[in-house]
Amino acid sequence: MTPTALFIGSIGVLAETSDIQRRAYNQALEEAGLDWHWDADTYRELLAESGGRERLARLSKEKNANLSEHDIEKIHARKTELACREITEGGITLRPGVADTIRRALSQGLKLALVTTTYRVNIDAIATAAGEDLPLSKFSAVLTRDDCDETKPAPDIYLTALDRLGLESAGVVALEDSAPSVHAAKQAGLYTIATPGEFTDQQDFSEADQLRTSLEGLELILPG
């Protein structure tokens, strides 16, 4: 059965940016006078929970750092600035199969949406780097952190996307790269394909309907 829509659920589905984000966090933390240097293994563990600001708030409590909301906002904003600069200037490419999947979805007349709880600046940075391979102007919707109260693994952003596009959940395929995000999509009733990235490939994806190492050769069909 041909789906009615394809929801790309995370920027990690689009491109490998986790190590860029990790290094940007380390610089922002150092500039803030914090010795929370995160190596790759530590960052993999941190990514088991969604939400950068939420992650910083939790670590502040665990380490008795007493960071204020303003401190957390400042660190996160600086991280985002550094990461987006590297993404746009470094010319990252989309993950294998992503550009073809987007073209196929558009050619089949599917409603295509980016449904993420990251911030728009991160999406725009990837779109700038990817150029014509990520034609956001052709997407039916681009939903971000500004469109929901709760981040993933809550299903809020997916439910908002379904409502905004007038879709039934049974006809939608979601692509996700982390276990918390897969949970969000499943809670919204979506057929969910997991395509883990370099920093999420050790997570538990048993909740996903499909598990793929890449989107190369992906057929946009639903079972049944």
Side-chain angles (χ1 to χ4, degrees):
M1 183 176 72
T2 301
T4 56
L6 178 67
F7 287 176
I8 299 174
S10 301
I11 60 172
V13 172
L14 298 171
E16 291 285 3
T17 66
S18 291
D19 201 51
I20 293 174
Q21 302 284 342
R22 179 186 69 84
R23 288 184 277 107
Y25 267 119
N26 282 339
Q27 183 173 336
L29 291 166
E30 182 179 356
E31 291 176 2
L34 297 167
D35 60 349
W36 299 359
H37 182 83
W38 297 338
D39 61 19
D41 288 339
T42 299
Y43 197 58
R44 284 189 181 92
E45 293 176 4
L46 291 171
L47 288 178
E49 295 185 24
S50 300
R53 286 178 171 83
E54 293 83 356
R55 196 177 301 124
L56 288 170
R58 177 174 58 80
L59 288 173
S60 175
K61 290 181 179 180
E62 291 178 358
K63 295 177 178 290
N64 294 316
N66 296 317
L67 294 179
S68 67
E69 289 187 13
H70 175 74
D71 294 331
I72 291 171
E73 175 67 30
K74 186 176 179 180
I75 293 168
H76 193 269
R78 178 59 174 156
K79 182 277 303 184
T80 300
E81 176 189 3
L82 292 166
C84 288
R85 181 189 304 166
E86 182 170 347
I87 289 168
T88 54
E89 294 179 357
I92 65 166
T93 57
L94 299 183
R95 292 178 60 187
V98 171
D100 285 342
T101 298
I102 290 172
R103 283 192 287 269
R104 193 175 304 115
L106 291 171
S107 68
Q108 291 179 206
L110 276 62
K111 289 187 177 181
L112 183 61
L114 191 56
V115 186
T116 175
T117 50
T118 192
Y119 291 86
R120 179 70 194 227
V121 290
N122 294 308
I123 298 166
D124 289 341
I126 294 173
T128 297
E132 294 181 357
D133 285 338
L134 186 56
L136 293 182
S137 63
K138 296 181 181 180
F139 280 46
S140 297
V142 176
L143 285 81
T144 70
R145 182 66 182 87
D146 293 330
D147 295 294
C148 63
D149 293 326
E150 296 292 332
T151 59
K152 299 172 184 176
D156 300 33
I157 192 69
Y158 277 118
L159 297 174
T160 297
L162 292 170
D163 181 65
R164 187 171 298 182
L165 295 175
L167 297 169
E168 296 293 332
S169 60
V172 179
V173 172
L175 306 177
E176 282 290 5
D177 74 318
S178 72
S181 296
V182 166
H183 180 75
K186 292 303 298 178
Q187 287 293 106
L190 309 184
Y191 184 86
T192 306
I193 300 172
T195 175
E198 294 175 356
F199 277 66
T200 59
D201 59 0
Q202 297 177 21
Q203 296 180 9
D204 179 7
F205 288 95
S206 58
E207 199 172 359
D209 296 289
Q210 284 189 48
L211 178 61
R212 300 177 62 94
T213 56
S214 85
L215 296 181
E216 290 182 296
L218 176 66
E219 294 185 13
L220 295 174
I221 57 175
L222 288 167

